[in-house]
Amino acid sequence: AGLTGCGTKGPTSSAPSAPSTNTMGLGAMNMGMAALNQPIKPMTEVRHGQNVTINMYTEERVVTIAPGVRWAAWTFDGTVPGPVIQLDQGDHVTLILHNIDPRMPHSIDLHAAQIAPSANYVDVLPGQSRVIRFVTEVPGVFMYHCATQPDLLHMEKGMYGEIMVNPAHTTPVIPQYHLVQSEFYSNWDALLNGSPTYVTFNGMADQYLDHPLTAKVGQPVQFAVVNAGPNEWSAFHIIGAIMSSVQPSGSVETVFHDLQTYSIAPGDGALITVTFQQPGTYKFLTHSFRDVEKGAVGEIVVTP
Amino acid sequence: AGLTGCGTKGPTSSAPSAPSTNTMGLGAMNMGMAALNQPIKPMTEVRHGQNVTINMYTEERVVTIAPGVRWAAWTFDGTVPGPVIQLDQGDHVTLILHNIDPRMPHSIDLHAAQIAPSANYVDVLPGQSRVIRFVTEVPGVFMYHCATQPDLLHMEKGMYGEIMVNPAHTTPVIPQYHLVQSEFYSNWDALLNGSPTYVTFNGMADQYLDHPLTAKVGQPVQFAVVNAGPNEWSAFHIIGAIMSSVQPSGSVETVFHDLQTYSIAPGDGALITVTFQQPGTYKFLTHSFRDVEKGAVGEIVVTP
Amino acid sequence: AGLTGCGTKGPTSSAPSAPSTNTMGLGAMNMGMAALNQPIKPMTEVRHGQNVTINMYTEERVVTIAPGVRWAAWTFDGTVPGPVIQLDQGDHVTLILHNIDPRMPHSIDLHAAQIAPSANYVDVLPGQSRVIRFVTEVPGVFMYHCATQPDLLHMEKGMYGEIMVNPAHTTPVIPQYHLVQSEFYSNWDALLNGSPTYVTFNGMADQYLDHPLTAKVGQPVQFAVVNAGPNEWSAFHIIGAIMSSVQPSGSVETVFHDLQTYSIAPGDGALITVTFQQPGTYKFLTHSFRDVEKGAVGEIVVTP
Ligand SMILES: [Cu+2]
Ligand SMILES: [Cu+2]
Ligand SMILES: [Cu+2]
Ligand SMILES: [Cu+2]
Ligand SMILES: [Cu+2]
Ligand SMILES: [Cu+2]
Ligand code: NA
Ligand code: NA
Ligand code: NA
Ligand code: NA
Ligand code: NA
Ligand code: NA
Ligand SMILES: [Zn+2]
Ligand SMILES: [Zn+2]
Ligand SMILES: [Zn+2]
Ligand SMILES: [Zn+2]
Ligand SMILES: [Zn+2]
Ligand SMILES: [Zn+2]
Ligand SMILES: [Zn+2]
Ligand SMILES: [Zn+2]
Ligand SMILES: [Zn+2]
């Protein structure tokens, strides 16, 4: 995946390599609803060999989290979740976080990095920028999120996403979908002590019932799933399929086989491989079914 | 387990092969409390080699979920949970679901199958039947449940059970108990946002305190556990024992060793092996202890 | 770790072998606040080869669970959590539990033991003692706790701790911190159906923000984590690090690699190894962030 290439990419290049691009489709829906009149600043990624420079932007936006439900979000790059950051193992990454929110500080904590939080995951004031450097030593499916206090609130407002590190010396041949499960609450007390109002994949309840993912019979497909929480576990499950492999945190070394359901903690991720055996419509969801009622379900249309 | 046999079996033949038959004893208790005056239709299973034909029946019944507490259940075959479906890897299964509930549609979703939900896990109208065909490719301890909308409610009313697929080329030599953990709620709001009133093993709070399971010192025993939820995780634990092996989802390939407690997500299962070392009384429970107070605890009497 | 030694040790000898002794610092804080005027009786451990005799004491104490918040605790040896019990695989242990609480029975359930609960985990009346004998067959990071009814309450009042069994034929070379996560509730209804007021590591909210743990760049460090619950899961995570290995329940046989977050059920434990790569300040926490707001977070200062 671009180990030797050199070029400039916009956010669409980090879209899933799966047949459909619906997994990141929420961003486009929000384009016309800028809060505070700031322009949308999408992430950019420039690669020279394994030197990668990423620009990301923290900004407030009004987004749609369920049909007809608008949400005053705090975002990375204008969407909830933020963009999928796609990297290769061994990349030397320079990430510049630009806080274009005129009102409050933000920051970024990347689970894929092994660097000092006190020097890197620190507040960036409105109008300022900060450079974070790290090497992607461990392949996996990781979460990133804002780490500004109160971090519980910055996360619940929408400041999280997936950062995927592909193993070195591999060419990804299996189509991948990127799914971020997360919760939205009605108020601070519910966030601290109650239950969520909406639970979503990629930031909008039930969106993949209207716009299903797609797959082919007999061809493996992978789900790179992050549970952004901020509070609840996911019991990730695909109706009609058995997971031929589950890689916790996307680990290359640790691989489980033949599972019906896999628990993903808040702040964790997993790489899940399935092969659908018949054409038809399938569903993915969390098998904690109260959260299905709140939006954490989508469809996959499988064709011959 | 019957790879070459040919015969007709009633539900007692799918009872645990462990020394006690208490694990499925709840059904008998409910025999005299038919709702809507329909006759109880128990599951039947007919095997010719590896061709298996199963008839199952969805029906409403009043069952007992705690001492003195009756529950207007929606059931598979008149009990909560439904019967344990015992199969061998490689079986060619024809399952005919008969909806003898005069009032509402039902359906069945079998985690052991790899088939199109849109063609198989669909509503069966009152008085109608539907044929589902699948091959048991993956051994394991799986959940089955009703998938009719709202599925959260159909599950919470009692429509779930365990379907176990034994690995090919093995003769089960270890006694097995089948345990299905599940929650019962007082109303829809509690089901969506609150906590359960009862949490049970095999559908009745504290039933195995009164009627313990049994085991022998020094002889391995297996617990084939399904957590039917519909919402909560189980922290399955056996007081006085350490799990010599845990097979998540009952997987043959993935086996963990020497665990004190194992998390089972809603919609998941596990095959857990322990060997008791002293005679006496032990307990199994979820170590999320508020659920112990609500009934999720039982005893095992171990004799020399 | 003392396989051939012979001597008498007080509770400080079971303190972490990591550079800091802060992990058990809570006990000292409570020394002057005896409830019911009983003297504090700390645990003692006497070893002759692999024969170990442990005296432990159940007693009521007022402890501090958050800055300025006192808690009428039920304790092992005067602290919440109780002392870390450090053993080697193959030890022959004689544990004498002395109940010096004048008001109520207590008991002890040790997840590291494989013995009959009905003969060992039984109530000890006020003023009485009881001898429990077991052999540490399985290495691991285990929970112990009071098992007197209502056990949910005895645990929530503070009666739990960590018992660690080090593998035979090994010399521990990696510094270890012992962390016990647990919840405190405001009343019985919250304990049964609501959410905790405080969630802590080693019994006091935010204590390791004021008094951080320490580590060295490039030197592996281990966290022996027990989640005492009594109800909730931990999504254990270390900001700025990736777990190079996770041993569920401290198992020697089952080891996972390269994880960002690890779920620990109530009643479970894990042995987690990380190597910090840069000097600075890091945090450990549960990534279920509502519990971070309630105190389940601490710092680690990493020096060159
Ligand atoms: Cu922020
Ligand atoms: Cu994080
Ligand atoms: Cu139904
Ligand atoms: Cu299911
Ligand atoms: Cu007690
Ligand atoms: Cu326990
Ligand atoms: Na905070
Ligand atoms: Na499979
Ligand atoms: Na629904
Ligand atoms: Na064992
Ligand atoms: Na009890
Ligand atoms: Na690593
Ligand atoms: Zn390099
Ligand atoms: Zn916070
Ligand atoms: Zn496999
Ligand atoms: Zn065949
Ligand atoms: Zn539903
Ligand atoms: Zn083993
Ligand atoms: Zn010995
Ligand atoms: Zn209790
Ligand atoms: Zn490794």
Side-chain angles (χ1 to χ4, degrees):
Chain A
L3 289 184
T4 57
C6 168
T8 304
K9 312 194 228 172
T12 54
S13 68
S14 64
S17 55
S20 163
T21 59
N22 284 316
T23 48
M24 291 304 299
L26 183 56
M29 185 178 313
N30 305 322
M31 288 295 170
M33 297 184 286
L36 299 169
N37 298 317
Q38 84 274 42
I40 288 180
K41 286 278 202 170
M43 178 249 246
T44 62
E45 188 182 319
V46 179
R47 174 182 291 275
H48 288 93
Q50 285 213 274
N51 293 307
V52 181
T53 303
I54 296 170
N55 285 274
M56 293 181 75
Y57 302 84
T58 51
E59 43 184 317
E60 295 180 63
R61 302 292 297 177
V62 176
V63 300
T64 298
I65 60 169
V69 178
R70 307 216 302 178
W71 178 259
W74 306 348
T75 77
F76 289 99
D77 303 302
T79 63
V80 176
V84 176
I85 305 175
Q86 286 266 22
L87 297 167
D88 296 312
Q89 190 178 9
D91 280 347
H92 290 232
V93 181
T94 302
L95 189 152
I96 306 125
L97 186 67
H98 307 271
N99 184 4
I100 60 174
D101 184 334
R103 301 199 298 193
M104 75 186 94
H106 295 292
S107 56
I108 191 165
D109 167 344
L110 303 128
H111 290 193
Q114 296 183 96
I115 55 180
S118 55
N120 292 284
Y121 303 161
V122 294
D123 285 359
V124 183
L125 297 180
Q128 301 203 337
S129 299
R130 182 172 197 93
V131 178
I132 297 172
R133 291 192 172 85
F134 63 98
V135 179
T136 50
E137 297 165 330
V138 179
V141 176
F142 298 101
M143 182 183 179
Y144 69 83
H145 56 87
C146 184
T148 297
Q149 296 288 321
D151 32 20
L152 173 63
L153 184 61
H154 282 251
M155 269 182 262
E156 192 262 356
K157 291 292 279 179
M159 302 195 76
Y160 45 77
E162 177 177 322
I163 173 168
M164 184 155 182
V165 179
N166 297 301
H169 314 301
T170 63
T171 307
V173 293
I174 301 180
Q176 289 179 336
Y177 282 109
H178 302 277
L179 296 173
V180 177
Q181 181 177 323
S182 65
E183 308 133 25
F184 296 87
Y185 294 80
S186 55
N187 55 57
W188 179 252
D189 186 59
L191 178 56
L192 263 190
N193 296 305
S195 69
T197 306
Y198 296 102
V199 183
T200 74
F201 287 107
N202 291 341
M204 194 166 94
D206 296 332
Q207 66 176 310
Y208 301 109
L209 298 181
D210 289 328
H211 304 95
L213 307 181
T214 60
K216 295 279 183 193
V217 169
Q219 293 188 358
V221 61
Q222 289 187 325
F223 296 88
V225 186
V226 160
N227 180 10
N231 293 320
E232 296 197 348
W233 270 249
S234 172
F236 193 78
H237 176 83
I238 301 165
I239 301 179
I242 295 174
M243 301 167 184
S244 55
S245 72
V246 174
Q247 295 166 257
S249 204
S251 173
V252 170
E253 288 191 53
T254 300
V255 186
F256 307 141
H257 289 287
D258 298 337
L259 305 188
Q260 67 198 286
T261 297
Y262 189 67
S263 289
I264 308 176
D268 204 358
L271 187 60
I272 293 166
T273 306
V274 297
T275 304
F276 297 102
Q277 301 196 356
Q278 297 182 353
T281 302
Y282 295 69
K283 282 182 185 172
F284 61 92
L285 45 74
T286 169
H287 219 286
S288 183
F289 259 87
R290 58 170 47 157
D291 290 346
V292 172
E293 292 293 324
K294 296 174 180 181
V297 56
E299 286 186 354
I300 309 154
V301 171
V302 177
T303 51
Chain B
L3 290 184
T4 58
C6 168
T8 304
K9 311 196 227 173
T12 54
S13 67
S14 64
S17 55
S20 162
T21 58
N22 283 317
T23 48
M24 291 304 300
L26 185 56
M29 185 178 314
N30 305 321
M31 287 297 170
M33 297 183 287
L36 299 168
N37 297 319
Q38 82 273 43
I40 288 181
K41 285 280 202 170
M43 178 249 247
T44 61
E45 187 182 321
V46 180
R47 174 181 289 277
H48 288 92
Q50 284 212 274
N51 295 307
V52 180
T53 303
I54 295 170
N55 285 276
M56 293 182 74
Y57 303 84
T58 51
E59 42 183 318
E60 295 180 64
R61 302 291 298 175
V62 176
V63 299
T64 298
I65 60 169
V69 177
R70 308 217 299 179
W71 178 259
W74 306 348
T75 77
F76 289 99
D77 303 301
T79 63
V80 176
V84 176
I85 304 175
Q86 287 267 23
L87 297 167
D88 297 312
Q89 190 178 10
D91 279 348
H92 290 230
V93 181
T94 303
L95 188 153
I96 306 125
L97 185 67
H98 307 270
N99 184 3
I100 60 174
D101 183 335
R103 300 199 298 192
M104 75 186 94
H106 294 292
S107 56
I108 192 166
D109 167 344
L110 302 128
H111 290 194
Q114 295 183 97
I115 54 180
S118 54
N120 291 284
Y121 302 161
V122 294
D123 285 0
V124 183
L125 297 180
Q128 300 203 339
S129 299
R130 180 169 199 95
V131 178
I132 297 173
R133 292 193 171 85
F134 63 98
V135 179
T136 51
E137 297 164 331
V138 179
V141 177
F142 298 100
M143 182 182 178
Y144 69 82
H145 56 88
C146 183
T148 297
Q149 296 288 320
D151 32 20
L152 173 63
L153 183 62
H154 281 252
M155 269 182 260
E156 192 262 355
K157 292 292 281 180
M159 302 195 76
Y160 45 77
E162 176 177 321
I163 172 167
M164 184 155 183
V165 178
N166 297 299
H169 314 301
T170 64
T171 309
V173 292
I174 301 180
Q176 289 179 336
Y177 281 109
H178 302 277
L179 295 173
V180 177
Q181 180 177 324
S182 65
E183 308 133 25
F184 297 86
Y185 294 80
S186 55
N187 56 57
W188 178 251
D189 186 60
L191 179 55
L192 263 190
N193 296 305
S195 69
T197 306
Y198 296 102
V199 183
T200 75
F201 286 107
N202 290 339
M204 193 165 95
D206 296 332
Q207 65 175 311
Y208 300 110
L209 297 180
D210 290 327
H211 303 96
L213 308 181
T214 60
K216 296 280 184 192
V217 169
Q219 294 188 356
V221 60
Q222 290 186 326
F223 295 88
V225 186
V226 161
N227 180 10
N231 292 321
E232 297 197 350
W233 270 249
S234 173
F236 193 78
H237 176 83
I238 300 164
I239 300 180
I242 296 174
M243 302 168 184
S244 56
S245 73
V246 174
Q247 295 165 256
S249 204
S251 172
V252 171
E253 286 191 53
T254 299
V255 186
F256 307 142
H257 290 288
D258 298 336
L259 305 187
Q260 66 198 288
T261 298
Y262 189 67
S263 289
I264 308 176
D268 204 359
L271 186 60
I272 292 165
T273 307
V274 297
T275 303
F276 297 102
Q277 301 197 357
Q278 298 182 353
T281 303
Y282 295 68
K283 282 182 183 169
F284 60 93
L285 46 73
T286 170
H287 218 286
S288 183
F289 259 87
R290 60 171 42 159
D291 291 345
V292 172
E293 293 293 325
K294 296 174 181 181
V297 55
E299 287 186 353
I300 310 154
V301 172
V302 177
T303 52
Chain C
L3 289 183
T4 58
C6 167
T8 304
K9 310 194 230 175
T12 55
S13 68
S14 65
S17 55
S20 163
T21 58
N22 284 317
T23 50
M24 290 306 298
L26 185 57
M29 185 178 313
N30 305 322
M31 287 299 171
M33 296 184 286
L36 299 169
N37 298 319
Q38 83 274 39
I40 287 181
K41 286 279 204 172
M43 178 250 245
T44 61
E45 188 182 319
V46 179
R47 173 181 291 274
H48 289 92
Q50 285 212 274
N51 294 307
V52 180
T53 303
I54 296 169
N55 285 274
M56 292 182 74
Y57 303 84
T58 50
E59 41 184 318
E60 295 180 64
R61 303 290 299 174
V62 176
V63 300
T64 298
I65 60 169
V69 178
R70 307 216 300 179
W71 177 260
W74 306 348
T75 77
F76 289 99
D77 303 302
T79 63
V80 176
V84 176
I85 304 175
Q86 286 266 23
L87 297 167
D88 296 313
Q89 189 178 10
D91 280 347
H92 290 232
V93 181
T94 303
L95 188 152
I96 306 125
L97 185 68
H98 307 270
N99 183 4
I100 60 174
D101 184 336
R103 299 199 298 194
M104 76 187 94
H106 294 292
S107 56
I108 192 166
D109 167 343
L110 302 126
H111 289 193
Q114 297 184 95
I115 54 180
S118 55
N120 292 284
Y121 302 161
V122 295
D123 285 359
V124 183
L125 297 180
Q128 301 204 338
S129 298
R130 181 169 199 95
V131 178
I132 297 173
R133 291 192 172 85
F134 64 98
V135 179
T136 50
E137 297 165 331
V138 179
V141 176
F142 298 100
M143 183 184 178
Y144 69 82
H145 57 86
C146 183
T148 297
Q149 295 288 321
D151 32 19
L152 173 63
L153 184 62
H154 281 250
M155 269 182 261
E156 192 262 355
K157 292 291 279 179
M159 302 196 74
Y160 45 77
E162 177 177 323
I163 173 168
M164 183 154 182
V165 179
N166 297 300
H169 314 302
T170 64
T171 308
V173 293
I174 301 180
Q176 289 179 337
Y177 281 109
H178 302 277
L179 296 172
V180 176
Q181 181 177 324
S182 66
E183 307 132 27
F184 297 87
Y185 293 80
S186 55
N187 56 57
W188 178 252
D189 186 60
L191 179 56
L192 263 189
N193 296 306
S195 68
T197 307
Y198 296 103
V199 183
T200 75
F201 287 107
N202 291 339
M204 194 166 93
D206 296 331
Q207 65 176 311
Y208 300 110
L209 297 182
D210 290 327
H211 303 95
L213 308 181
T214 60
K216 295 279 184 193
V217 169
Q219 293 187 358
V221 61
Q222 289 187 325
F223 296 87
V225 186
V226 161
N227 180 10
N231 291 322
E232 296 197 348
W233 270 249
S234 173
F236 193 78
H237 176 83
I238 300 166
I239 300 178
I242 296 174
M243 302 169 184
S244 55
S245 72
V246 174
Q247 295 166 257
S249 204
S251 173
V252 171
E253 286 191 54
T254 300
V255 186
F256 307 142
H257 290 289
D258 297 337
L259 305 187
Q260 67 197 287
T261 298
Y262 189 68
S263 290
I264 308 176
D268 204 357
L271 186 60
I272 292 165
T273 306
V274 296
T275 303
F276 297 102
Q277 301 196 357
Q278 299 182 352
T281 302
Y282 295 68
K283 282 183 183 170
F284 60 91
L285 45 73
T286 169
H287 219 288
S288 183
F289 259 87
R290 60 171 42 158
D291 290 346
V292 172
E293 292 293 324
K294 296 174 180 181
V297 57
E299 286 185 353
I300 310 155
V301 172
V302 177
T303 52

PDB file of all heavy atoms in Angstrom, chain B residues 244 257-258, chain C residues 253, ligand 18:
ATOM      1  N   SER B 244      -9.466 -25.073  33.224  1.00  0.00           N
ATOM      2  CA  SER B 244      -8.268 -25.590  32.561  1.00  0.00           C
ATOM      3  C   SER B 244      -8.259 -25.219  31.090  1.00  0.00           C
ATOM      4  O   SER B 244      -7.201 -24.997  30.515  1.00  0.00           O
ATOM      5  CB  SER B 244      -8.154 -27.101  32.753  1.00  0.00           C
ATOM      6  OG  SER B 244      -9.314 -27.738  32.285  1.00  0.00           O
ATOM      7  N   HIS B 257      -6.118 -21.156  28.246  1.00  0.00           N
ATOM      8  CA  HIS B 257      -5.854 -22.027  29.393  1.00  0.00           C
ATOM      9  C   HIS B 257      -5.752 -21.259  30.706  1.00  0.00           C
ATOM     10  O   HIS B 257      -5.229 -20.142  30.738  1.00  0.00           O
ATOM     11  CB  HIS B 257      -4.550 -22.798  29.182  1.00  0.00           C
ATOM     12  CG  HIS B 257      -4.654 -23.839  28.121  1.00  0.00           C
ATOM     13  ND1 HIS B 257      -5.361 -25.005  28.298  1.00  0.00           N
ATOM     14  CD2 HIS B 257      -4.177 -23.884  26.857  1.00  0.00           C
ATOM     15  CE1 HIS B 257      -5.293 -25.729  27.192  1.00  0.00           C
ATOM     16  NE2 HIS B 257      -4.577 -25.072  26.304  1.00  0.00           N
ATOM     17  N   ASP B 258      -6.210 -21.922  31.768  1.00  0.00           N
ATOM     18  CA  ASP B 258      -5.916 -21.509  33.139  1.00  0.00           C
ATOM     19  C   ASP B 258      -6.512 -20.149  33.489  1.00  0.00           C
ATOM     20  O   ASP B 258      -5.833 -19.263  34.019  1.00  0.00           O
ATOM     21  CB  ASP B 258      -4.394 -21.502  33.368  1.00  0.00           C
ATOM     22  CG  ASP B 258      -3.807 -22.902  33.196  1.00  0.00           C
ATOM     23  OD1 ASP B 258      -4.565 -23.890  33.355  1.00  0.00           O
ATOM     24  OD2 ASP B 258      -2.600 -23.015  32.906  1.00  0.00           O
TER      25      ASP B 258
ATOM     26  N   GLU C 253       0.331 -20.026  29.877  1.00  0.00           N
ATOM     27  CA  GLU C 253       0.145 -20.722  28.603  1.00  0.00           C
ATOM     28  C   GLU C 253      -0.499 -19.861  27.525  1.00  0.00           C
ATOM     29  O   GLU C 253      -0.258 -20.061  26.332  1.00  0.00           O
ATOM     30  CB  GLU C 253      -0.741 -21.949  28.821  1.00  0.00           C
ATOM     31  CG  GLU C 253      -0.046 -23.079  29.531  1.00  0.00           C
ATOM     32  CD  GLU C 253      -0.901 -24.337  29.459  1.00  0.00           C
ATOM     33  OE1 GLU C 253      -1.294 -24.744  28.356  1.00  0.00           O
ATOM     34  OE2 GLU C 253      -1.182 -24.892  30.532  1.00  0.00           O
TER      35      GLU C 253
HETATM   36 ZN    ZN D  18      -3.203 -25.824  29.800  1.00  0.00          ZN
END
